[in-house]
Amino acid sequence: VQLQASGGGLVQTGGSLRLSCVASGGTFSRYGFGWFRQAPGKEREFVAGFTRSSNTMVYTDSVKGRFTISRDNAKSTVYLQMNSLEPEDTAVYYCAAKAGIIYSSLGIPTSYDYWGQGTLVTVSS
């Protein structure tokens, strides 16, 4: 499956962005998805994710209450709605996918088989 991420940009503190990740070349409903981010000089960090059942969304603590992950099966697209953005959210954001990923593996980058190219989010203070 191929993943195409978009929606990044420059925003002021407190602003919002919505990232999109369009999947192609696979059966979308078979996959669980995650969003990760990587700031300069730092390791890739889990942001949010869900399994194929989408019953439970998982978030890293620093984005809880501000970010929302969702999926649209009809559009084969995963979204990351980001509100109340802070300078600390500045990073390249990546979407990732794996068929049948389990809940306990959502936060582990090496669990995923497919990655998008990344989209840059810059939050100015």
Side-chain angles (χ1 to χ4, degrees), residues 51 76 81 86 93 95-96 103:
T51 62
S76 297
Q81 178 66 45
E86 304 167 352
Y93 284 71
C95 59
Y103 178 87

Side-chain angles (χ1 to χ4, degrees), residues 59-80:
Y59 300 91
T60 193
D61 286 346
S62 63
V63 308
K64 285 180 181 177
R66 300 189 298 124
F67 290 12
T68 303
I69 189 172
S70 62
R71 70 191 295 165
D72 185 335
N73 285 341
K75 296 182 178 180
S76 297
T77 301
V78 177
Y79 300 101
L80 185 68

Side-chain angles (χ1 to χ4, degrees), residues 34-104:
W35 282 99
F36 291 77
R37 64 187 180 187
Q38 189 165 17
K42 295 188 177 181
E43 293 186 352
R44 192 163 296 190
E45 172 191 31
F46 173 76
V47 177
F50 50 74
T51 62
R52 59 175 291 182
S53 67
S54 304
N55 288 336
T56 303
M57 309 310 189
V58 180
Y59 300 91
T60 193
D61 286 346
S62 63
V63 308
K64 285 180 181 177
R66 300 189 298 124
F67 290 12
T68 303
I69 189 172
S70 62
R71 70 191 295 165
D72 185 335
N73 285 341
K75 296 182 178 180
S76 297
T77 301
V78 177
Y79 300 101
L80 185 68
Q81 178 66 45
M82 306 186 296
N83 299 328
S84 302
L85 283 162
E86 304 167 352
E88 293 73 23
D89 296 316
T90 294
V92 177
Y93 284 71
Y94 300 89
C95 59
K98 178 178 175 61
I101 191 170
I102 60 176
Y103 178 87
S104 59

Side-chain angles (χ1 to χ4, degrees), residues 95-117:
C95 59
K98 178 178 175 61
I101 191 170
I102 60 176
Y103 178 87
S104 59
S105 296
L106 284 171
I108 304 171
T110 54
S111 299
Y112 294 82
D113 294 325
Y114 305 100
W115 290 83
Q117 84 287 4

